[in-house]
Every structure is written in C-alpha cells, then in structure tokens.
Amino acid sequence: MSTAMAPAAGFAGKSGHKPKMASADRLLLAVSLVVPVLGLSLFFLYPLGLVAWRSLVGLDGSIGLGNYASVLASPGIRTATINSLWISALTTAVCVVLGFILAYALQRSSISGKGLVRASLALPLLAPSLVQALGLIFLLGRNGVVSQWTGWTIDIYGPVGLLIANVLYGLPQAVLIIEASLRHSDARYYDAAEVMGASHWQQFRDITLPNAKFGMLSAGFVVFTVTITDFGNAAVIGGDYRVLATEIYRQVVGQMNFGMGAVVGILLLIPTLVAVYIQRVASQRQFGGGSESAIPVQPSWLPARDLPLGMAVFAISLCMIVVVATVVLASFMFLWPYRMEFTLRNYVITLSGGYTPLWTSLLISLMAAGFGVVLLFLMAFAQKRLPPALARLLYFGAILPVGVPGLVLGLAYVLAFNVSDSVLGLLYGTTVIIALCNFYHYHSQGFLTMVTGMRSVPPALEESVTCLGGGLRCVLRDAILPFLTATTVSVFFFLFMRSMVTLSAVIFLFTPQVMPASVTVMRLDEAGFTLQAAAFSTCIMITVALAMLLMRVAMTYLGRKKAGA
C-alpha cells in the first residue's frame, strides 16, 4: 500500500507545485508589462493627447480649427517656422560635414591626441545647451574679450550666434553616429581594392562614403531634431530672431494662450516626427546589412591625409574647448572682461534660492534615473516574452517619445497636471512631476539600450535555468540580472546626466519652490547676472562630470568582475 501511495504522493506534489509557480510567473510577467505600460499611458500618451485636443479649443471655449487659422494668419509664427527650418537645416549641414571629418579622423586616421578630441566632444554633454551661447557671448558679445581687446564690433546675437551655438551643441551627437557607421566597415573591401590597384582617394570615394551615407543621413536628422527643438541657445543668444521653440514660450508664459501654444507645439512636432522616422529608416539601412564577421579597418599613417586632417580636427576641438572653458574662466573673474581678477564672489549666489536648485536637480535626477531604470527594465523584460505582434506594438509605444520635443512634452504636462479638480493635480509643482517628465523625455533611448542588453543574454543560459526546474523568477535572478548589471548602470547614469542638464522639458514646470538648476542658469542670465550664471553652469558641469567619472569606475569594476568570474 505504501508503494502504491508513493507515486500518488509524488504526483500530487508536482501537480500542487507547478500551478503555483506558473501562477507566480504569470503574475511577474503581468506586473512587468502592466506597470510600465500604465506609466507610459498616463505620463506620456494622455498628456500628448491633451495637447492635440487643446489645439482645437479656442479662447472662447469653441471647438474647431480657429487656432490653426490664427497661426497660419500670424506673420510672426510663419516667420518663426521658416527661421526654425532654415537655421536647423543649416546647422544640420555644418554638423554633418564637421562630424564626418571628426569621425573619420577618430576611426580611419593615425593622428595622435584622439583622447583630447573625445574629451572635447564630451564637454557639451556636461551642461545645459545655453552654456554654448554663454561662452560665445563672453568671447564675441558686445562686452566680449574679442570686442574689448580688438575694438571690432561683432553682432553675435541673432542667426549667426544661434548657428554657431547649435553647431557646438549638436556636433558631438553627429560624431557618435557617423563614427559608429564607420566602425562597422569591413577591412576586406579595402584589401580587395588595394589588390585591384585602387588609390586611397578611390577607396574613400567608392567604399568609405557609400558605407557611411546612411550614418551621415541618420546623424543629420538627429541634429535637425535636436536643434529645431532646443530652447536654451535660442533664448540666450537668439536675440530678435524668432524660432518655434521661443514662440511656444511666448505664447504660453507671456500670453497664457495655451491653445495657440499647443498649435505651435504641434507645428514643432511634425518636422520632428518626420526627422525621427527618416533617421530610423536610415539607421536600419546602415546597420541592418552589417556582418558579424566583419574585420575592423586598421588605420595606417598617411602624412598627406593625417597631417591636414589632424590640424582640422584639433582646430574644431579647440573651438569647443575654448567656448566651454571661457564660461568656467569667466565665473572666477571679478568683472568680465574689464577687471580680470580672480574671485569667488560669483559663486555667492542669493538670487533664485541660491544653490537650492542644484540640490533640487540632484533629487529630480536621482528620482528620474531610479524609477526610470526599473520601469525600463520591466518593459524590456516583458517585451522579450510577449508574442511577436504584441512585442512589436509595445516596442513602437516605447520608442514613440523620441519624436516628441521636450518643450511639447513640458506643455503637455502643464495641460494634464495643472488642474485642481483631479487627483493628478496633486503632482503639479512637485519634484516627482519634473522627474517623470525628464524620464519620459529620454524614455526611448533608455529603452533601446535596455533591449540591446536584454538581447545579449545567452538563450542557452535561460534554458538551463528552466531545465533545472527554475521558474521565471529564477531566470530573472540567475540568468538575466547578472548579464544586465552593466546595462542597467549605464542607463541609470544616462538618465541622471540628461535630467541634470535638460532645459526645454522643464521650462514650463518649475515653480518658485521647485526650480531645476538649468532654469536657474537661464533666470540668472535674464536678470543680468551673467557671471553668476557662468558659476552655476560650472557647478552643473562639475556634478555631471563626477557622475560620468563614477559611471566609468562602476563599469570598469563590473567588467573586471565579469572577467574574473
């Protein structure tokens, strides 16, 4: 009897155990899917829908296309649209040309000092975009060192200054994309061309440029998107040159006309979405046909190429370093450029709450990075386990925020959360709402990085855990988390650093009690305290640089730990 009962008992144990594990696995998968999707719906899709709806609501409460008709009839907004398209297109052209020169020098030449070039490219990422404009004003403005020392009158305010500032801001992103396209080239093509007697110029014309064309196209549309939506440079150095970014600010903050502001936001959204779509197609064309067995190109020393290329590259890098270094130097001067004496008085800031905004930005950035990395991890985890049709739908929703400018998202948050008759209104004016806005502003980039890391987990490892009787929780704990630690750290610091320096996404959301550091820099400059604005910018740059250094240390430690394991 005991022999007969033993199998029965074993069978009962199995039947009672498996459903419990399956139920827990289903719950884990449901939470991983529902929580991020709910957040994306509530804090991105819903506010964006309100922008579209508010663009149809007139000042008298009527519903229709009256706001659109007013915009089309407004000479000022038409001028701002033309100006935005023109300055962004010109910035894009310059950035693609200079970006290709820098990327080619870094990947295909044997010039020395590449580390210095990469460091100069990192500088614009350490501070709000308006720092480039401040540096140009300190150098070339009416009271800049060039004007004072040479007597030349340089009108840096307007389209010329805005173009230079935008190029300095967008160039690093162009270099990163074009450099990636050059990195995927196969050395065997060049070896074959060499055997066939092709000259270096012919190899460049027939192999390098065709292989890099989609990368250059992708870089161009990224730069176009970044510059047409940037607010900081336009506000500081644009002068009377009207662009869509500043026009939204005037409509919403200056005139409290949310309907017209929503229409201008949609005008800004259309070219951005088109640019993002073309950039995505270009990226797929560039990397879709890449070969995993490609042999990297090993550059050789060619004096006729590398000497002039090195001079051009270091000239560009020097310009980027000088502009940012001038801001730092000016922050320590008594009265720039008339009394060039070292002082720390510019760091004694009492306007706009002193250094409270810096600590506020630290808190906001930690919150955005903290819950952001958790939500992105859950979404990438769920997306990998969904049926293909649902996985594609989730993927599309996750990358949708990349096409929405920060100004439009900030305006959407005002319309969605600045309400008194809703529970959502409790979030307005808090650090939480700004952290959420910053996170969803950079949601797409973080998600794509997390998905890439999720794909690197060996399927055989997950199958081994499953075969040993482990459920989805064991797969998550023993297979996925160890492989995604480095990716999670990089996404955390990415969200933190971008949240520290963004301006356009938060310009509508700050209050006197909750003011981010980037907004404080703009307010100090508007009040005429340009040296204090430089000092505050320097503090932001130091904070972000320390975060970048900490990320490198963490990534190095994780790399050594993985290698040791």
Side-chain angles (χ1 to χ4, degrees), residues 340-390:
M340 307 289 273
E341 301 173 4
F342 180 84
T343 181
L344 293 175
R345 72 169 193 161
N346 297 320
Y347 286 84
V348 181
I349 300 173
T350 57
L351 188 69
S352 299
Y355 283 100
T356 301
L358 185 61
W359 314 130
T360 301
S361 278
L362 278 171
L363 176 60
I364 290 172
S365 300
L366 288 172
M367 292 171 63
F371 56 65
V373 78
V374 172
L375 290 175
L376 291 172
F377 180 90
L378 292 176
M379 181 175 282
F381 176 72
Q383 192 258 352
K384 187 177 181 181
R385 280 154 181 81
L386 289 176
L390 289 178

Short mmCIF file of all heavy atoms in Angstrom, two decimals, residues 340-390:
data_model
loop_
_atom_site.label_atom_id
_atom_site.label_comp_id
_atom_site.label_asym_id
_atom_site.label_seq_id
_atom_site.Cartn_x
_atom_site.Cartn_y
_atom_site.Cartn_z
N MET A 340 39.89 91.62 -14.84
CA MET A 340 40.18 90.18 -14.88
C MET A 340 40.99 89.78 -13.65
O MET A 340 42.19 89.47 -13.73
CB MET A 340 40.92 89.83 -16.17
CG MET A 340 40.22 90.30 -17.43
SD MET A 340 38.73 89.36 -17.79
CE MET A 340 39.41 88.00 -18.72
N GLU A 341 40.32 89.81 -12.50
CA GLU A 341 40.94 89.42 -11.24
C GLU A 341 40.22 88.20 -10.68
O GLU A 341 38.99 88.14 -10.70
CB GLU A 341 40.89 90.57 -10.23
CG GLU A 341 41.59 91.83 -10.70
CD GLU A 341 41.38 92.99 -9.74
OE1 GLU A 341 40.74 92.77 -8.67
OE2 GLU A 341 41.81 94.11 -10.05
N PHE A 342 40.99 87.26 -10.16
CA PHE A 342 40.40 86.04 -9.63
C PHE A 342 39.57 86.34 -8.39
O PHE A 342 39.99 87.08 -7.50
CB PHE A 342 41.50 85.04 -9.27
CG PHE A 342 40.97 83.74 -8.71
CD1 PHE A 342 40.55 82.73 -9.57
CD2 PHE A 342 40.88 83.54 -7.35
CE1 PHE A 342 40.05 81.54 -9.06
CE2 PHE A 342 40.38 82.35 -6.83
CZ PHE A 342 39.97 81.35 -7.70
N THR A 343 38.38 85.77 -8.35
CA THR A 343 37.48 85.95 -7.21
C THR A 343 36.49 84.79 -7.14
O THR A 343 36.25 84.11 -8.14
CB THR A 343 36.70 87.27 -7.33
OG1 THR A 343 35.84 87.43 -6.19
CG2 THR A 343 35.84 87.28 -8.58
N LEU A 344 35.96 84.57 -5.96
CA LEU A 344 34.91 83.56 -5.77
C LEU A 344 33.55 84.19 -5.50
O LEU A 344 32.60 83.49 -5.16
CB LEU A 344 35.28 82.63 -4.61
CG LEU A 344 36.50 81.72 -4.82
CD1 LEU A 344 36.80 80.94 -3.53
CD2 LEU A 344 36.28 80.76 -5.99
N ARG A 345 33.46 85.50 -5.68
CA ARG A 345 32.21 86.19 -5.32
C ARG A 345 31.05 85.78 -6.24
O ARG A 345 29.89 85.86 -5.83
CB ARG A 345 32.41 87.70 -5.36
CG ARG A 345 32.54 88.30 -6.75
CD ARG A 345 32.45 89.82 -6.69
NE ARG A 345 32.26 90.39 -8.02
CZ ARG A 345 31.80 91.61 -8.23
NH1 ARG A 345 31.49 92.41 -7.21
NH2 ARG A 345 31.64 92.08 -9.46
N ASN A 346 31.37 85.36 -7.46
CA ASN A 346 30.29 84.94 -8.37
C ASN A 346 29.63 83.66 -7.91
O ASN A 346 28.52 83.33 -8.35
CB ASN A 346 30.85 84.75 -9.78
CG ASN A 346 31.39 86.03 -10.38
OD1 ASN A 346 30.80 87.10 -10.19
ND2 ASN A 346 32.52 85.94 -11.06
N TYR A 347 30.31 82.92 -7.04
CA TYR A 347 29.74 81.68 -6.51
C TYR A 347 28.90 81.92 -5.25
O TYR A 347 28.33 80.98 -4.70
CB TYR A 347 30.85 80.67 -6.23
CG TYR A 347 31.42 80.08 -7.49
CD1 TYR A 347 32.42 80.73 -8.21
CD2 TYR A 347 30.94 78.87 -7.99
CE1 TYR A 347 32.94 80.19 -9.39
CE2 TYR A 347 31.45 78.33 -9.17
CZ TYR A 347 32.44 79.00 -9.86
OH TYR A 347 32.94 78.48 -11.03
N VAL A 348 28.85 83.18 -4.82
CA VAL A 348 27.95 83.53 -3.71
C VAL A 348 26.63 83.94 -4.35
O VAL A 348 26.39 85.11 -4.64
CB VAL A 348 28.55 84.67 -2.85
CG1 VAL A 348 27.61 84.99 -1.70
CG2 VAL A 348 29.93 84.30 -2.34
N ILE A 349 25.78 82.98 -4.57
CA ILE A 349 24.53 83.20 -5.31
C ILE A 349 23.37 83.24 -4.34
O ILE A 349 23.14 82.30 -3.57
CB ILE A 349 24.33 82.08 -6.35
CG1 ILE A 349 25.50 82.07 -7.35
CG2 ILE A 349 23.01 82.27 -7.09
CD1 ILE A 349 25.48 80.90 -8.30
N THR A 350 22.66 84.36 -4.35
CA THR A 350 21.49 84.52 -3.48
C THR A 350 20.20 84.59 -4.28
O THR A 350 19.13 84.31 -3.74
CB THR A 350 21.63 85.79 -2.63
OG1 THR A 350 21.80 86.94 -3.50
CG2 THR A 350 22.84 85.69 -1.71
N LEU A 351 20.28 84.95 -5.56
CA LEU A 351 19.08 85.02 -6.38
C LEU A 351 18.58 83.62 -6.69
O LEU A 351 19.35 82.67 -6.80
CB LEU A 351 19.40 85.76 -7.69
CG LEU A 351 18.21 86.08 -8.60
CD1 LEU A 351 17.31 87.13 -7.96
CD2 LEU A 351 18.70 86.57 -9.97
N SER A 352 17.27 83.51 -6.84
CA SER A 352 16.61 82.24 -7.22
C SER A 352 16.89 81.11 -6.23
O SER A 352 17.03 79.95 -6.61
CB SER A 352 17.04 81.82 -8.63
OG SER A 352 16.67 82.79 -9.57
N GLY A 353 17.03 81.45 -4.95
CA GLY A 353 17.17 80.41 -3.93
C GLY A 353 18.57 79.90 -3.74
O GLY A 353 18.77 78.85 -3.13
N GLY A 354 19.57 80.63 -4.23
CA GLY A 354 20.95 80.21 -4.02
C GLY A 354 21.23 78.88 -4.72
O GLY A 354 20.92 78.69 -5.89
N TYR A 355 21.82 77.94 -3.96
CA TYR A 355 22.17 76.64 -4.54
C TYR A 355 21.08 75.59 -4.33
O TYR A 355 21.28 74.42 -4.68
CB TYR A 355 23.48 76.15 -3.93
CG TYR A 355 24.69 76.84 -4.52
CD1 TYR A 355 25.30 77.88 -3.85
CD2 TYR A 355 25.19 76.45 -5.76
CE1 TYR A 355 26.40 78.54 -4.40
CE2 TYR A 355 26.29 77.09 -6.32
CZ TYR A 355 26.88 78.13 -5.63
OH TYR A 355 27.96 78.77 -6.18
N THR A 356 19.96 76.00 -3.80
CA THR A 356 18.86 75.05 -3.63
C THR A 356 18.45 74.38 -4.93
O THR A 356 18.20 73.16 -4.96
CB THR A 356 17.64 75.76 -2.99
OG1 THR A 356 18.03 76.30 -1.72
CG2 THR A 356 16.49 74.79 -2.81
N PRO A 357 18.39 75.11 -6.07
CA PRO A 357 18.05 74.45 -7.33
C PRO A 357 19.01 73.34 -7.73
O PRO A 357 18.60 72.37 -8.39
CB PRO A 357 18.07 75.59 -8.35
CG PRO A 357 17.76 76.82 -7.55
CD PRO A 357 18.44 76.58 -6.24
N LEU A 358 20.28 73.46 -7.34
CA LEU A 358 21.24 72.40 -7.67
C LEU A 358 20.90 71.12 -6.91
O LEU A 358 20.91 70.03 -7.49
CB LEU A 358 22.66 72.85 -7.33
CG LEU A 358 23.78 71.89 -7.74
CD1 LEU A 358 23.79 71.68 -9.24
CD2 LEU A 358 25.13 72.41 -7.26
N TRP A 359 20.58 71.25 -5.63
CA TRP A 359 20.17 70.07 -4.85
C TRP A 359 18.83 69.55 -5.34
O TRP A 359 18.59 68.33 -5.34
CB TRP A 359 20.10 70.41 -3.36
CG TRP A 359 21.27 71.18 -2.85
CD1 TRP A 359 21.27 72.33 -2.11
CD2 TRP A 359 22.67 70.87 -3.06
NE1 TRP A 359 22.54 72.76 -1.86
CE2 TRP A 359 23.43 71.89 -2.43
CE3 TRP A 359 23.34 69.86 -3.74
CZ2 TRP A 359 24.81 71.90 -2.43
CZ3 TRP A 359 24.73 69.87 -3.76
CH2 TRP A 359 25.45 70.87 -3.11
N THR A 360 17.96 70.46 -5.77
CA THR A 360 16.68 70.03 -6.34
C THR A 360 16.89 69.21 -7.59
O THR A 360 16.25 68.16 -7.79
CB THR A 360 15.79 71.25 -6.66
OG1 THR A 360 15.56 72.00 -5.46
CG2 THR A 360 14.46 70.82 -7.24
N SER A 361 17.80 69.66 -8.46
CA SER A 361 18.09 68.91 -9.68
C SER A 361 18.71 67.56 -9.37
O SER A 361 18.45 66.56 -10.06
CB SER A 361 19.02 69.71 -10.60
OG SER A 361 18.30 70.65 -11.35
N LEU A 362 19.56 67.51 -8.35
CA LEU A 362 20.14 66.24 -7.94
C LEU A 362 19.04 65.25 -7.53
O LEU A 362 19.05 64.09 -7.92
CB LEU A 362 21.12 66.44 -6.79
CG LEU A 362 22.54 66.89 -7.16
CD1 LEU A 362 23.31 67.26 -5.90
CD2 LEU A 362 23.26 65.78 -7.91
N LEU A 363 18.09 65.73 -6.72
CA LEU A 363 16.98 64.90 -6.28
C LEU A 363 16.13 64.46 -7.47
O LEU A 363 15.78 63.27 -7.61
CB LEU A 363 16.12 65.65 -5.26
CG LEU A 363 14.85 64.93 -4.78
CD1 LEU A 363 15.20 63.62 -4.10
CD2 LEU A 363 14.05 65.83 -3.85
N ILE A 364 15.79 65.41 -8.35
CA ILE A 364 14.98 65.09 -9.53
C ILE A 364 15.68 64.06 -10.40
O ILE A 364 15.07 63.10 -10.88
CB ILE A 364 14.68 66.38 -10.32
CG1 ILE A 364 13.71 67.27 -9.55
CG2 ILE A 364 14.14 66.06 -11.70
CD1 ILE A 364 13.52 68.65 -10.15
N SER A 365 16.98 64.24 -10.61
CA SER A 365 17.74 63.35 -11.49
C SER A 365 17.86 61.95 -10.90
O SER A 365 17.77 60.95 -11.62
CB SER A 365 19.12 63.93 -11.77
OG SER A 365 19.01 65.20 -12.39
N LEU A 366 18.06 61.87 -9.60
CA LEU A 366 18.12 60.56 -8.94
C LEU A 366 16.78 59.85 -9.03
O LEU A 366 16.71 58.64 -9.25
CB LEU A 366 18.55 60.72 -7.49
CG LEU A 366 20.02 61.08 -7.24
CD1 LEU A 366 20.25 61.40 -5.77
CD2 LEU A 366 20.93 59.92 -7.69
N MET A 367 15.69 60.62 -8.86
CA MET A 367 14.35 60.02 -8.98
C MET A 367 14.10 59.55 -10.40
O MET A 367 13.62 58.43 -10.63
CB MET A 367 13.29 61.04 -8.55
CG MET A 367 13.30 61.39 -7.07
SD MET A 367 12.22 62.78 -6.67
CE MET A 367 10.64 62.10 -7.13
N ALA A 368 14.42 60.40 -11.39
CA ALA A 368 14.20 60.03 -12.80
C ALA A 368 15.00 58.79 -13.16
O ALA A 368 14.51 57.89 -13.86
CB ALA A 368 14.56 61.19 -13.71
N ALA A 369 16.25 58.74 -12.70
CA ALA A 369 17.11 57.59 -13.01
C ALA A 369 16.67 56.35 -12.24
O ALA A 369 16.69 55.23 -12.78
CB ALA A 369 18.56 57.91 -12.69
N GLY A 370 16.24 56.52 -10.99
CA GLY A 370 15.87 55.39 -10.14
C GLY A 370 14.64 54.65 -10.64
O GLY A 370 14.71 53.47 -11.00
N PHE A 371 13.49 55.36 -10.66
CA PHE A 371 12.30 54.63 -11.11
C PHE A 371 12.31 54.44 -12.62
O PHE A 371 11.65 53.55 -13.15
CB PHE A 371 11.00 55.30 -10.64
CG PHE A 371 10.80 56.73 -11.03
CD1 PHE A 371 10.65 57.12 -12.35
CD2 PHE A 371 10.72 57.71 -10.06
CE1 PHE A 371 10.42 58.43 -12.69
CE2 PHE A 371 10.51 59.03 -10.39
CZ PHE A 371 10.36 59.39 -11.70
N GLY A 372 13.09 55.26 -13.34
CA GLY A 372 13.19 55.08 -14.78
C GLY A 372 13.85 53.78 -15.15
O GLY A 372 13.38 53.04 -16.02
N VAL A 373 14.95 53.46 -14.48
CA VAL A 373 15.68 52.24 -14.83
C VAL A 373 14.86 50.99 -14.45
O VAL A 373 14.91 49.98 -15.15
CB VAL A 373 17.06 52.24 -14.16
CG1 VAL A 373 16.99 51.86 -12.69
CG2 VAL A 373 18.04 51.33 -14.88
N VAL A 374 14.06 51.08 -13.40
CA VAL A 374 13.20 49.96 -13.01
C VAL A 374 12.11 49.74 -14.06
O VAL A 374 11.86 48.61 -14.51
CB VAL A 374 12.58 50.20 -11.62
CG1 VAL A 374 11.54 49.12 -11.31
CG2 VAL A 374 13.66 50.22 -10.55
N LEU A 375 11.44 50.82 -14.47
CA LEU A 375 10.36 50.70 -15.45
C LEU A 375 10.89 50.22 -16.80
O LEU A 375 10.26 49.40 -17.48
CB LEU A 375 9.65 52.04 -15.61
CG LEU A 375 8.82 52.51 -14.41
CD1 LEU A 375 8.26 53.90 -14.65
CD2 LEU A 375 7.67 51.53 -14.14
N LEU A 376 12.05 50.71 -17.21
CA LEU A 376 12.62 50.30 -18.48
C LEU A 376 13.04 48.83 -18.45
O LEU A 376 12.88 48.10 -19.44
CB LEU A 376 13.82 51.18 -18.84
CG LEU A 376 13.48 52.63 -19.20
CD1 LEU A 376 14.74 53.46 -19.33
CD2 LEU A 376 12.67 52.69 -20.49
N PHE A 377 13.59 48.41 -17.32
CA PHE A 377 13.98 47.01 -17.19
C PHE A 377 12.76 46.11 -17.29
O PHE A 377 12.77 45.10 -18.01
CB PHE A 377 14.70 46.79 -15.86
CG PHE A 377 15.13 45.36 -15.64
CD1 PHE A 377 16.38 44.93 -16.06
CD2 PHE A 377 14.30 44.45 -15.02
CE1 PHE A 377 16.79 43.63 -15.87
CE2 PHE A 377 14.69 43.14 -14.81
CZ PHE A 377 15.95 42.73 -15.24
N LEU A 378 11.70 46.45 -16.58
CA LEU A 378 10.48 45.64 -16.62
C LEU A 378 9.89 45.60 -18.02
O LEU A 378 9.45 44.54 -18.49
CB LEU A 378 9.46 46.20 -15.63
CG LEU A 378 9.79 46.07 -14.14
CD1 LEU A 378 8.73 46.76 -13.30
CD2 LEU A 378 9.93 44.61 -13.73
N MET A 379 9.90 46.74 -18.71
CA MET A 379 9.33 46.79 -20.05
C MET A 379 10.13 45.94 -21.03
O MET A 379 9.57 45.19 -21.84
CB MET A 379 9.24 48.23 -20.54
CG MET A 379 8.62 48.38 -21.92
SD MET A 379 8.39 50.09 -22.41
CE MET A 379 6.92 50.51 -21.48
N ALA A 380 11.45 46.04 -20.97
CA ALA A 380 12.30 45.23 -21.85
C ALA A 380 12.17 43.74 -21.53
O ALA A 380 12.16 42.90 -22.43
CB ALA A 380 13.76 45.67 -21.72
N PHE A 381 12.03 43.42 -20.25
CA PHE A 381 11.85 42.04 -19.81
C PHE A 381 10.54 41.47 -20.35
O PHE A 381 10.49 40.33 -20.86
CB PHE A 381 11.89 41.98 -18.28
CG PHE A 381 11.62 40.62 -17.71
CD1 PHE A 381 12.56 39.60 -17.80
CD2 PHE A 381 10.42 40.35 -17.07
CE1 PHE A 381 12.31 38.35 -17.26
CE2 PHE A 381 10.16 39.11 -16.52
CZ PHE A 381 11.12 38.11 -16.63
N ALA A 382 9.47 42.26 -20.25
CA ALA A 382 8.17 41.79 -20.74
C ALA A 382 8.15 41.72 -22.26
O ALA A 382 7.58 40.77 -22.83
CB ALA A 382 7.07 42.72 -20.24
N GLN A 383 8.76 42.69 -22.92
CA GLN A 383 8.72 42.73 -24.37
C GLN A 383 9.38 41.51 -25.01
O GLN A 383 8.94 41.02 -26.05
CB GLN A 383 9.42 44.02 -24.85
CG GLN A 383 9.22 44.33 -26.33
CD GLN A 383 10.41 43.98 -27.17
OE1 GLN A 383 11.47 43.62 -26.65
NE2 GLN A 383 10.26 44.08 -28.48
N LYS A 384 10.40 40.98 -24.34
CA LYS A 384 11.11 39.81 -24.85
C LYS A 384 10.25 38.56 -24.79
O LYS A 384 10.48 37.61 -25.55
CB LYS A 384 12.40 39.62 -24.06
CG LYS A 384 13.31 38.54 -24.62
CD LYS A 384 14.60 38.44 -23.82
CE LYS A 384 15.53 37.37 -24.40
NZ LYS A 384 16.79 37.24 -23.63
N ARG A 385 9.24 38.55 -23.90
CA ARG A 385 8.45 37.33 -23.69
C ARG A 385 7.04 37.43 -24.23
O ARG A 385 6.24 36.52 -24.03
CB ARG A 385 8.42 37.03 -22.18
CG ARG A 385 9.70 36.36 -21.73
CD ARG A 385 10.02 36.57 -20.29
NE ARG A 385 11.29 35.89 -20.02
CZ ARG A 385 12.48 36.41 -20.32
NH1 ARG A 385 12.55 37.62 -20.87
NH2 ARG A 385 13.60 35.74 -20.08
N LEU A 386 6.72 38.50 -24.90
CA LEU A 386 5.39 38.64 -25.49
C LEU A 386 5.33 37.98 -26.86
O LEU A 386 6.37 37.80 -27.51
CB LEU A 386 5.04 40.13 -25.61
CG LEU A 386 4.74 40.88 -24.32
CD1 LEU A 386 4.50 42.36 -24.62
CD2 LEU A 386 3.53 40.29 -23.60
N PRO A 387 4.15 37.64 -27.32
CA PRO A 387 4.00 37.19 -28.71
C PRO A 387 4.50 38.28 -29.67
O PRO A 387 4.46 39.47 -29.34
CB PRO A 387 2.49 36.97 -28.86
CG PRO A 387 2.01 36.74 -27.47
CD PRO A 387 2.88 37.57 -26.57
N PRO A 388 4.99 37.91 -30.85
CA PRO A 388 5.60 38.88 -31.76
C PRO A 388 4.74 40.12 -32.04
O PRO A 388 5.25 41.25 -32.05
CB PRO A 388 5.84 38.06 -33.04
CG PRO A 388 5.99 36.66 -32.55
CD PRO A 388 5.07 36.53 -31.38
N ALA A 389 3.44 39.93 -32.26
CA ALA A 389 2.58 41.08 -32.59
C ALA A 389 2.51 42.05 -31.41
O ALA A 389 2.65 43.28 -31.59
CB ALA A 389 1.19 40.59 -32.96
N LEU A 390 2.31 41.53 -30.21
CA LEU A 390 2.26 42.40 -29.03
C LEU A 390 3.63 43.01 -28.73
O LEU A 390 3.71 44.16 -28.29
CB LEU A 390 1.76 41.60 -27.82
CG LEU A 390 0.29 41.19 -27.83
CD1 LEU A 390 -0.04 40.36 -26.59
CD2 LEU A 390 -0.60 42.43 -27.90
#
